[in-house]
Amino acid sequence: MEQIGLSGPDITQQEIDAVASVLRSGRLSIGPQIEAFERAVCERVGATCAVGFNSGTSALHCGLIAAGIGPGDEIITTPFSFIASSNCILMVGATPVFVDIDPDTWNIDPHKVADRITDKTRGIIAVDVFGQPARLDILRPLADKHNLLLVEDSCEALGAALAGQSAGTMGDFGAFGFYPNKQITTGEGGMLITNNADIASTVRALRNQGRSQMAGWLDHDMLGYNFRLSEINAAVGVVQMQRLDEILGKRAQVATWYLDRLQDDPRFICQKIDDDVTMSWFVFTPRLSDDYTEQQRNNLIAQLREQGVGCSNYFAPIHLQGFYRQQLGTKLGDFPICERVAGRTIALPFHNGLTEDHVDRVCRILTATVERI
Ligand SMILES: *Cc1c(COP(=O)(O)O)cnc(C)c1O
């Protein structure tokens, strides 16, 4: 039986040729490819500065350092996300303060944020979950009123928009990720996006061992990291950016095939997409209705895998991870909407290699198996 994988990159001969030509050039780091990649992302999203990183996490981490976030500071964020959006807060010694999610869109509930603001709050990290921008339009005035940093973790949302404004550009800085399951990939990689030139120049130094751009190779102005993106990776990104519309179009097509088959089935609930959102499909992850338990969802995943369908729970609530429970004292029941959604999600195979026949097969197996859990 043919396996249908959960995710997979869309790589063509063009990316392969671009990598080969970097390897032949002899210039494998800090060269023209990263500059071209940064320029392409800037132009696409309409930002003034983009700084390439070796991961989305390192971009978020350095952005928080550049914004002066540190020990004693509280940052409000969502528990329903990939763990990196919260880990970056711990990495700078600050404390994540979680706010529950909207039950329909699964993004941070912007109307619950104000209640969690204290005199220690310094910022908000909103995550564009599964490629749908969080309500930065509601969070922006709140952040301004309380003088808070506003960060948009758009690692799952390159190409998305909210009321016509590009994901990644609506906070003081944003971040994209280029791991192989993202919309576009560089193998590993990330990018920080900002219109704030001070943040941009500080993160450029931070990713490069604390070297300021003007100083010599062995002058280090601050404690920095090696978070550089190699020319080999950046060259893949340059080609992927040229192909972005084609890639996003294929993903939207696969999502439409799934929606046609599942969105009216009462056993499943699909993420609600707000009317003013341009979606950039990252995954296709419906959830089971409230009639089902988490155990039934886990059974469903196991049985689908046995039948060759790649799938996963997505995400596991961050506040229930062991070291979060230990460090923050968070526990089951703290964020009931997040737990209700996260306990029932099922990420289905989603990538550009899928045909309508594949989606048909996945949905047929899914709807038959859900009767036996
Ligand atoms: C992928 C992702 C990141 C960054 O991940 P890296 O593996 O470090 O590139 C950050 N936040 C979210 C929400 C993500 O999905």
Side-chain angles (χ1 to χ4, degrees):
M1 181 177 44
E2 190 200 351
Q3 303 278 316
I4 303 180
L6 179 59
S7 69
D10 180 343
I11 297 294
T12 66
Q13 190 62 40
Q14 288 181 69
E15 284 85 349
I16 295 168
D17 291 343
V19 167
S21 97
V22 168
L23 292 174
R24 284 193 203 98
S25 77
R27 191 140 176 209
L28 304 190
S29 189
I30 313 179
Q33 296 298 326
I34 186 160
E35 286 177 19
F37 186 33
E38 290 171 347
R39 239 183 354 260
V41 174
C42 266
E43 280 169 18
R44 171 67 190 216
V45 301
T48 54
C49 313
V51 183
F53 276 87
N54 62 354
S55 76
T57 308
S58 49
L60 289 165
H61 178 185
C62 288
L64 292 184
I65 298 173
I69 305 300
D73 296 340
E74 293 180 354
I75 304 288
I76 292 174
T77 192
T78 174
F80 186 67
S81 174
F82 181 61
I83 196 162
S85 60
S86 177
N87 278 354
C88 62
I89 300 167
L90 295 176
M91 286 170 192
V92 299
T95 304
V97 172
F98 296 113
V99 165
D100 212 344
I101 58 171
D102 180 283
D104 301 318
T105 67
W106 309 344
N107 274 325
I108 190 169
D109 186 337
H111 303 293
K112 289 187 178 154
V113 170
D115 288 347
R116 302 286 282 161
I117 295 175
T118 70
D119 54 8
K120 290 185 181 155
T121 308
R122 292 285 173 275
I124 301 168
I125 299 181
V127 179
D128 300 336
V129 169
F130 300 161
Q132 166 159 236
R135 295 306 321 190
L136 276 282
D137 53 342
I138 301 173
L139 294 172
R140 181 81 261 178
L142 189 67
D144 289 345
K145 181 172 158 203
H146 295 273
N147 200 18
L148 305 179
L149 177 78
L150 182 59
V151 177
E152 188 179 9
D153 178 343
S154 299
C155 286
E156 304 184 353
L158 178 66
L162 179 64
Q165 193 171 352
S166 291
T169 66
M170 292 181 273
D172 296 293
F173 68 85
F176 294 123
F178 306 121
Y179 185 74
N181 68 340
K182 311 283 186 186
Q183 284 87 341
I184 69 164
T185 187
T186 56
E188 295 283 358
M191 198 166 288
L192 183 139
I193 306 297
T194 184
N195 291 324
N196 181 320
D198 293 334
I199 290 181
S201 73
T202 306
V203 300
R204 272 184 201 285
L206 287 168
R207 79 167 171 189
N208 188 19
Q209 308 281 15
R211 297 175 174 109
S212 76
Q213 278 174 293
M214 297 306 135
W217 188 247
L218 291 177
D219 290 328
H220 305 271
D221 297 341
M222 63 183 94
L223 175 65
Y225 301 83
N226 180 354
F227 286 159
R228 295 185 300 259
L229 182 70
S230 86
E231 287 291 282
I232 303 163
N233 301 88
V236 179
V238 171
V239 177
Q240 293 259 293
M241 281 306 292
Q242 289 162 0
R243 298 184 49 233
L244 181 62
D245 286 321
E246 171 208 336
I247 289 171
L248 295 179
K250 286 200 231 169
R251 295 176 85 88
Q253 173 65 79
V254 176
T256 303
W257 288 330
Y258 272 121
L259 285 168
D260 286 347
R261 287 158 178 80
L262 297 178
Q263 69 183 346
D264 296 325
D265 187 325
R267 295 169 295 182
F268 302 100
I269 301 173
C270 296
Q271 178 184 22
K272 178 185 172 240
I273 312 299
D274 282 333
D275 289 341
D276 55 354
V277 159
T278 307
M279 190 69 179
S280 172
W281 290 92
F282 166 56
V283 284
F284 191 82
T285 304
R287 75 171 183 92
L288 288 167
S289 78
D290 290 338
D291 298 337
Y292 295 90
T293 63
E294 181 163 355
Q295 186 55 51
Q296 286 177 301
R297 188 277 310 269
N298 296 343
N299 295 344
L300 179 60
I301 289 176
Q303 291 185 33
L304 290 178
R305 285 181 181 159
E306 278 168 20
Q307 296 170 85
V309 175
C311 58
S312 180
N313 59 320
Y314 215 74
F315 307 103
I318 297 173
H319 67 283
L320 299 180
Q321 301 290 327
F323 69 103
Y324 276 83
R325 290 179 193 246
Q326 248 169 21
Q327 282 194 35
L328 304 180
T330 47
K331 59 188 184 311
L332 195 68
D334 284 353
F335 303 100
I337 302 173
C338 168
E339 292 164 17
R340 172 149 50 91
V341 172
R344 292 177 177 78
T345 52
I346 169 157
L348 298 173
F350 190 75
H351 54 86
N352 287 354
L354 294 178
T355 62
E356 189 163 16
D357 281 348
H358 287 126
V359 172
D360 227 23
R361 234 182 74 213
V362 170
C363 292
R364 266 188 284 115
I365 295 172
L366 175 68
T367 50
T369 308
V370 76
E371 291 302 309
R372 304 196 297 265
I373 54 174

